[in-house]
């Protein structure tokens, strides 16, 4: 597998993935990772990557925090050495990184995170030591004053003593000795406070000379008066260094005692960082977790080679190892054969490294030994020609490959006499078949394409080529070999036409016949696929239409049932109301005639009541007018008709082949043409009926309709049906949701509301109601 690693460019993939790691150790570990050949181990690696992806991009867990490479710091601390301030700060960052990883994973309650929780449960850290180092070490070279009580006292005393020394020396600068000084500054030499004295006056100032300027014009003298104070300051400085050393050694000792557990925790943190890096790399590639198998089955769905530009790469689907063991891939040069072959092998290696692959869901890959002979392995040092180097590779493959191997060979038998090369290629492929291997072989040899037709377990495939434009399509087509199209490509690349034609003439009759047959078959396949695609599109379209028709019929049936129920209820209500009114009139007339004396005004009032009763009922001699069945050919839009099955009248809105759309009251219904009759035009009784709207909406009609995503035509039909149902339900006000968008749907909604007979008014929603994304309509 080592040779396959370089040939398939796994190193480039691992280096790219390692750049997403935080720690230097993680980058190195991932870049050098070796693919596993164990199915269980590979599945575990992918499961870790899946959990890392969920932690980062679903649950929002934090990444591993950076800390510098530890080198031998912990080892030296364990042996008793005192680490420097900078080294202790690095160790504190290490402790913090381990702790943050532990906290970030354990803080998430997700049953899908199993492996990472087990990993962080093994982490060991000392939060107190981490905090103490941070408190006591101020910078890379300084310890905090309050790192210990003793250090605090020493430094306070040093400051006070320093101030006293400066104060005394300032007296020199301001007193009679001022004339002896070079300038008015107190300086330090050899950690002792001194004053700059002109060289010619060095004997005028009693004290000790510590230094001389480069020009010799100035000497730096420590006056006798501050000698003892400087000695004391020096002594305090020694005490300070001893205390600092003690603090550093104490902190280092505590780190040294943690070395074993901390080394293990750091290793686990590095491991977690590599899986986070795998997850981020997969996310950047829009990669998926492949399903692994030990059967040698490769089933890549819409795969894209990760080293290609993912925006421009043409997805390729490849299947081999199930139903047939070898795929013989042919087609034009630059058509993508080698890229497809390398992609299959690379995907297997990536999965064995715990990396997701840039493909579609459902992709399956084997965990097998990968053998590969791709590209020109010519070696000057070993005196190997191109052919010889391929033979060496093929010899190793035939020697080492077994049933649990996936073999990738790019154009076997190339670089030598074509006839012998074809024979060798067939022999190699036959030998691999006998070993039980699976794999992919690319070729331009016609004899090898014929061999694939004749041999069970090998299937031809080709990279599609557009014969009209002489351009490769980078699509894998299974079941038939592809033409090399070498001469066609020469034409596209500007080769002299006369040279191409002459070359065509040199082809043997057999070669020309085979190429013509393959090309014709390929063109026929392309046409058949195009026809099949069109037929499939039509089938899907008609399925959708039939489903839509079925939904419309179901809606009509429901509306019809609602209308009939509503009509019956309305009829019962009218009959009850009329009966009650008649009884009230009769009772009033009886009351008039019960009087002992009836005046003329009483008679007039009784006659008026009688006439009112007469107008509210049909006289016995009034016979109902019979409706006549309409000829379907005479039905026109706008015609007043009677619906026989519903015993109601309405106006024809539109006429189809078998049905007409009729508005009956407040609803629209589709009625068979043979159910239409002439309108009876019976005068409606002049009865004063007071209707009261029930403001409580029925349970099955909501006071809101959502039209977002509909076309204008769909919206008009849906809105009118909804308004009709809302009126029947007694709703006083409805909320129509059309969204903001471009405003086209809103304008169409308002157009329907303007012409609807049962809409009293409408307005856009206010703040809190949906604003311009909704319209509030008031119903009559």
């Amino acid at each position: 597998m080592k040779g396959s690693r370089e040939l398939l460019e796994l190193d480039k993939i691992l280096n790219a993935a390692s750049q997403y790691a935080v720690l230097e150790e993680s980058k190195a570990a991932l870049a050098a990772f070796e693919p596993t050949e164990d199915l269980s181990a590979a599945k575990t690696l992918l499961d870790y990557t899946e959990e890392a992806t969920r932690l980062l991009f679903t649950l929002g867990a934090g990444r591993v925090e950076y800390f510098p490479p530890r080198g031998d710091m912990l080892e030296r601390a364990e042996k008793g050495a005192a680490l420097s301030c900078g080294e202790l700060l690095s160790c504190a960052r290490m402790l913090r990184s381990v702790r943050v990883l532990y906290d970030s994973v354990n803080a998430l309650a997700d049953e899908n995170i199993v492996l990472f929780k087990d990993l962080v449960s093994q982490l060991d850290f000392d939060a107190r030591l981490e905090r103490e180092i941070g408190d006591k070490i101020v910078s890379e070279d300084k310890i905090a004053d309050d790192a210990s009580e003793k250090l605090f006292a020493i430094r306070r005393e040093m400051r006070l003593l320093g101030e006293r020394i400066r104060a005394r020396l300032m007296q020199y600068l301001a007193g009679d000795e001022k004339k002896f000084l070079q300038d008015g500054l107190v300086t330090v030499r050899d950690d002792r406070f001194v004053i700059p004295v002109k060289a010619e006056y060095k004997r005028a100032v009693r004290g000790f000379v510590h230094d001389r300027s480069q020009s010799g014009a100035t000497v730096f003298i420590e006056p006798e008066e501050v000698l003892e104070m400087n000695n004391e300051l020096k002594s305090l400085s020694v005490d300070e260094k001893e205390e600092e050393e003690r603090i550093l050694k104490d902190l280092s000792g505590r780190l040294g005692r943690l070395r074993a557990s901390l080394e293990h925790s750091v290793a686990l943190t590095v491991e977690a960082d590599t899986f986070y890096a795998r997850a981020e790399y997969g996310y950047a590639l829009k990669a998926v977790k492949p399903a692994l198998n030990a059967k040698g089955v490769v089933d890549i769905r819409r795969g894209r080679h990760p080293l290609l530009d993912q925006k421009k790469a043409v997805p390729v689907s490849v299947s081999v190892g199930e139903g047939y063991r070898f795929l013989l891939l042919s087609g034009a040069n630059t058509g993508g054969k080698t890229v497809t072959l390398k992609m299959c092998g690379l995907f297997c290696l990536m999965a064995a490294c715990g990396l997701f692959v840039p493909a579609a869901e459902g992709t399956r890959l084997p965990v097998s030994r990968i053998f590969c002979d791709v590209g020109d392995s010519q070696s000057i040092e070993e005196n190997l020609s191109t052919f010889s180097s391929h033979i060496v590779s093929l010899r190793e493959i035939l020697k080492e490959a077994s049933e649990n191997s996936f073999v990738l060979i790019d154009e076997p038998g190339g670089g030598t006499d074509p006839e012998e090369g074809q024979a060798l290629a067939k022999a190699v492929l036959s030998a691999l078949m006998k070993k039980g291997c699976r794999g992919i072989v690319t070729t331009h040899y016609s004899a090898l394409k014929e061999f694939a037709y004749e041999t069970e377990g090998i299937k031809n495939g080709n990279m599609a080529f557009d014969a009209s434009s002489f351009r490769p399509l980078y699509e894998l087509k299974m079941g038939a070999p592809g033409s090399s199209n070498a001469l066609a490509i020469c034409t596209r690349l500007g080769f002299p036409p006369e040279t191409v034609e002459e070359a065509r003439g040199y082809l043997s009759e057999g070669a020309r016949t085979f190429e013509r047959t393959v090309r014709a078959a390929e063109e026929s396949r392309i046409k058949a696929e195009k026809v099949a695609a069109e037929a499939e599109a039509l089938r899907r379209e008609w399925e959708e239409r039939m489903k839509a028709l079925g939904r419309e019929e179901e809606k009509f049936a429901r509306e019809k049932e609602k209308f009939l129920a509503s009509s019956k209820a309305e009829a019962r209500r009218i009959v009850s109301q009329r009966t009650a009114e008649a009884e009230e009139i009769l009772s009033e007339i009886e009351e008039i005639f019960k009087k002992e004396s009836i005046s003329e005004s009483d008679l007039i009032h009784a006659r008026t009541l009688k006439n009112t009763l007469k107008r509210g009922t049909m006289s016995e001699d009034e016979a109902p007018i019979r409706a006549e069945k309409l000829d379907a050919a005479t039905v026109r839009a706008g015609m007043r008709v009677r619906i026989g099955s519903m015993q109601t009248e309405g106006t024809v809105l539109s006429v189809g082949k078998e049905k007409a759309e009729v508005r009956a009251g407040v609803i629209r219904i589709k009625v068979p043409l043979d159910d239409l009759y002439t309108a009876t035009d019976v005068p409606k009784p002049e009865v004063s009926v007071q209707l009261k709207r029930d403001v409580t909406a029925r349970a099955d009609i909501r006071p809101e309709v959502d039209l977002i995503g509909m076309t204008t035509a769909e919206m008009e039909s849906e809105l009118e049906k909804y308004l009709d149902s809302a009126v029947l339900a007694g709703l006083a006000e409805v909320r129509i949701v059309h969204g903001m968008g471009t405003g086209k749907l809103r304008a169409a909604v308002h157009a329907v509301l303007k012409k609807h007979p049962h809409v009293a008014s409408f307005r856009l929603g206010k703040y809190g109601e949906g604003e311009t994304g909704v319209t509030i309509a008031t119903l009559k």
Side-chain angles (χ1 to χ4, degrees):
M1 189 180 287
K2 185 175 181 181
S4 301
R5 180 188 181 103
E6 289 79 19
L7 290 173
L8 297 176
E9 301 178 288
L10 177 64
D11 288 335
K12 292 182 179 179
I13 300 301
L14 291 174
N15 281 329
S18 71
Q19 299 309 306
Y20 289 91
V22 173
L23 306 175
E24 297 302 323
E25 290 181 64
S26 308
K27 293 179 188 291
L30 187 52
F33 195 87
E34 285 295 331
T36 180
E37 294 179 10
D38 181 78
L39 178 63
S40 176
K43 286 183 176 179
T44 301
L45 289 172
L46 287 174
D47 289 342
Y48 265 112
T49 304
E50 183 179 37
E51 287 193 12
T53 302
R54 183 170 182 81
L55 283 166
L56 288 178
F57 303 109
T58 302
L59 302 176
R63 287 296 310 271
V64 170
E65 289 197 5
Y66 175 80
F67 58 86
R70 62 190 182 281
D72 64 346
M73 289 187 295
L74 294 178
E75 182 181 357
R76 288 190 289 112
E78 186 182 35
K79 291 179 179 179
L83 302 182
S84 68
C85 292
E87 289 174 328
L88 284 171
L89 287 176
S90 294
C91 290
R93 295 184 69 177
M94 184 191 308
L95 289 166
R96 174 180 169 79
S97 183
V98 174
R99 177 179 58 80
V100 168
L101 174 62
Y102 178 88
D103 292 340
S104 67
V105 175
N106 277 323
L108 301 169
D110 190 315
E111 61 184 12
N112 295 305
I113 306 302
V114 178
L115 296 173
F116 258 79
K117 289 203 171 181
D118 180 63
L119 183 148
V120 300
S121 69
Q122 304 173 54
L123 297 177
D124 190 18
F125 52 90
D126 189 333
R128 181 180 176 184
L129 178 56
E130 172 202 336
R131 186 170 56 254
E132 279 193 41
I133 294 174
D135 291 341
K136 293 181 178 181
I137 310 300
V138 176
S139 66
E140 298 283 328
D141 56 3
K142 185 172 178 59
I143 299 177
D145 290 349
D146 57 356
S148 71
E149 291 183 4
K150 183 176 181 180
L151 183 63
F152 182 82
I154 290 171
R155 287 185 175 175
R156 182 181 60 182
E157 191 172 349
M158 288 176 69
R159 283 193 299 272
L160 293 174
L161 185 56
E163 289 173 4
R164 286 168 54 200
I165 294 172
R166 286 192 187 90
R168 180 65 190 92
L169 292 177
M170 288 301 293
Q171 292 177 3
Y172 277 87
L173 301 180
D176 296 337
E177 294 90 347
K178 180 177 181 181
K179 58 178 180 247
F180 304 134
L181 304 183
Q182 192 67 263
D183 53 47
L185 291 175
V186 174
T187 186
V188 176
R189 286 292 187 272
D190 298 328
D191 295 330
R192 301 177 78 88
F193 287 99
V194 295
I195 55 177
V197 179
K198 295 175 182 178
E200 58 269 27
Y201 297 119
K202 65 180 180 180
R203 299 188 186 280
V205 178
R206 295 179 62 81
F208 297 90
V209 176
H210 283 274
D211 200 359
R212 183 188 299 271
S213 67
Q214 288 184 351
S215 65
T218 305
V219 291
F220 297 94
I221 297 177
E222 177 186 7
E224 287 182 347
E225 296 183 36
V226 296
L227 177 62
E228 288 302 321
M229 288 190 287
N230 267 333
N231 287 341
E232 187 179 352
L233 186 61
K234 186 72 173 178
S235 176
L236 288 172
S237 179
V238 172
D239 293 343
E240 178 191 32
K241 283 182 171 53
E242 288 179 352
E243 180 61 13
E244 288 178 344
E245 185 70 19
R246 186 197 66 77
I247 292 169
L248 294 177
K249 196 166 185 178
D250 175 64
L251 295 174
S252 300
R254 291 167 65 183
L255 275 171
R257 289 190 289 276
L258 282 175
R259 181 195 172 188
S261 62
L262 192 53
E263 291 277 11
H264 179 63
S265 297
V266 169
L268 292 176
T269 303
V270 167
E271 185 178 359
D273 190 30
T274 64
F275 286 114
Y276 279 140
R278 288 176 173 94
E280 287 207 54
Y281 181 63
Y283 186 82
L285 286 178
K286 295 182 174 60
V288 299
K289 178 185 179 184
L292 300 183
N293 66 86
K295 301 178 181 178
V297 175
V298 170
D299 183 13
I300 297 173
R301 303 184 182 184
R302 296 182 61 77
R304 309 175 309 279
H305 196 291
L307 295 180
L308 297 177
D309 185 342
Q310 297 299 294
K311 295 180 180 177
K312 298 179 181 178
V314 178
V316 177
S317 296
V318 185
S319 181
V320 62
E322 205 167 41
Y324 53 93
R325 288 182 173 273
F326 269 86
L327 171 63
L328 186 67
L329 196 54
S330 54
N333 286 311
T334 71
K337 298 189 302 298
T338 303
V339 172
T340 300
L341 176 139
K342 293 176 73 173
M343 178 188 73
C344 294
L346 179 59
F347 276 17
C348 294
L349 295 180
M350 288 175 66
C353 291
L355 290 165
F356 287 5
V357 295
E361 293 288 349
T363 292
R364 294 181 292 160
L365 296 170
V367 178
S368 310
R369 291 196 68 190
I370 308 297
F371 291 94
C372 185
D373 179 36
V374 180
D376 187 356
S377 301
Q378 180 173 333
S379 173
I380 296 175
E381 292 83 359
E382 298 181 17
N383 197 26
L384 293 177
S385 67
T386 298
F387 176 73
S388 299
S389 65
H390 282 299
I391 292 302
V392 171
S393 296
L394 292 175
R395 180 192 67 194
E396 295 301 317
I397 290 173
L398 291 173
K399 179 182 177 181
E400 299 291 337
S402 63
E403 185 176 359
N404 186 34
S405 298
F406 196 78
V407 181
L408 303 164
I409 305 177
D410 190 24
E411 299 187 23
T416 188
D417 177 74
E419 188 171 350
E420 291 184 347
Q422 291 181 123
L424 178 62
K426 285 195 281 188
V428 169
L429 193 51
S430 178
L432 292 172
M433 289 286 293
K434 291 175 184 177
K435 281 177 168 285
C437 304
R438 291 171 174 80
I440 302 174
V441 175
T442 68
T443 188
H444 287 289
Y445 289 146
S446 299
L448 205 55
K449 300 173 188 176
E450 294 173 3
F451 178 71
Y453 271 128
E454 299 165 356
T455 306
E456 186 178 355
I458 307 177
K459 189 167 186 176
N460 270 304
N462 72 88
M463 301 305 293
F465 186 82
D466 188 343
S468 61
S469 64
F470 303 126
R471 291 184 179 276
L473 300 177
Y474 307 107
E475 296 177 13
L476 175 58
K477 302 297 181 182
M478 302 297 293
S483 173
S484 296
N485 291 292
L487 297 180
I489 292 173
C490 288
T491 301
R492 178 174 70 86
L493 295 177
F495 216 70
E498 61 276 10
T499 306
V500 174
E501 286 304 313
E502 184 175 352
R504 207 181 301 278
Y506 290 143
L507 289 173
S508 67
E509 184 58 34
R512 285 198 295 269
T513 301
F514 183 81
E515 288 297 316
R516 282 197 297 269
T517 302
V518 170
R519 192 177 294 111
E522 195 168 347
E523 291 175 356
S524 298
R525 178 188 54 75
I526 292 172
K527 290 179 181 177
E529 286 181 352
K530 185 177 180 181
V531 171
E534 292 174 352
E536 177 64 17
L538 285 173
R539 184 188 66 79
R540 288 197 298 266
E541 181 182 351
W542 278 105
E543 278 186 356
E544 288 299 320
R545 289 188 178 185
M546 293 300 294
K547 288 179 182 177
L549 182 59
R551 290 193 294 268
E552 287 296 325
E553 288 180 351
E554 290 177 4
K555 285 183 181 179
F556 171 72
R558 290 194 298 269
E559 291 293 337
K560 182 177 178 180
E561 290 176 4
K562 291 178 183 178
F563 176 76
L564 289 175
S566 177
S567 299
K568 290 177 181 178
E570 182 67 9
R572 286 194 296 270
R573 188 190 66 77
I574 292 174
V575 169
S576 298
Q577 183 177 346
R578 297 284 177 80
T579 301
E581 290 175 352
E583 289 177 353
E584 185 178 351
I585 292 172
L586 289 173
S587 175
E588 195 170 345
I589 292 174
E590 286 178 0
E591 290 296 325
I592 291 174
F593 284 100
K594 283 180 181 179
K595 293 181 179 180
E596 294 181 0
S597 61
I598 300 173
S599 65
E600 186 175 350
S601 63
D602 289 335
L603 291 174
I604 293 171
H605 182 49
R607 192 179 297 112
T608 302
L609 292 172
K610 178 185 176 184
N611 291 337
T612 301
L613 182 62
K614 200 172 183 182
R615 285 196 304 269
T617 58
M618 184 184 290
S619 61
E620 294 180 1
D621 58 346
E622 286 182 309
I625 301 174
R626 294 185 176 275
E628 296 180 3
K629 194 168 188 177
L630 286 171
D631 184 354
T634 65
V635 179
R636 297 289 184 272
M639 181 181 290
R640 187 76 179 169
V641 295
R642 187 174 185 81
I643 304 170
S645 60
M646 300 177 65
Q647 291 299 306
T648 188
E649 294 185 4
T651 303
V652 177
L653 299 177
S654 62
V655 182
K657 291 184 178 179
E658 298 180 356
K659 293 183 178 181
E661 187 175 10
V662 180
R663 182 190 289 277
V666 295
I667 68 168
R668 293 181 175 189
I669 52 176
K670 289 186 178 180
V671 184
L673 294 174
D674 59 3
D675 192 28
L676 297 178
Y677 296 82
T678 56
T680 58
D681 291 326
V682 177
K684 295 184 179 179
E686 295 180 4
V687 178
S688 176
V689 181
Q690 184 179 6
L691 297 178
K692 294 182 179 179
R693 175 174 283 140
D694 180 10
V695 295
T696 304
R698 281 175 20 192
D700 56 344
I701 299 297
R702 296 182 58 201
E704 178 183 288
V705 61
D706 188 353
L707 307 175
I708 293 176
M710 296 185 182
T711 63
T712 301
E714 292 172 343
M715 176 279 296
E716 290 178 354
S717 175
E718 185 66 23
L719 181 56
E720 289 184 351
K721 289 176 183 178
Y722 172 76
L723 291 173
D724 293 339
S725 301
V727 171
L728 285 177
L731 296 179
E733 189 178 81
V734 294
R735 185 173 185 265
I736 304 162
V737 182
H738 45 65
M740 298 179 184
T742 61
K744 185 177 179 181
L745 187 61
R746 179 176 66 240
V749 168
H750 289 180
V752 172
L753 296 177
K754 285 179 183 177
K755 64 183 181 181
H756 199 282
H758 293 282
V759 174
S761 63
F762 61 90
R763 61 176 175 81
L764 288 174
K766 299 177 182 178
Y767 179 78
E769 294 179 327
E771 301 179 23
T772 58
V774 301
T775 294
I776 309 299
T778 302
L779 304 180
K780 295 180 181 177

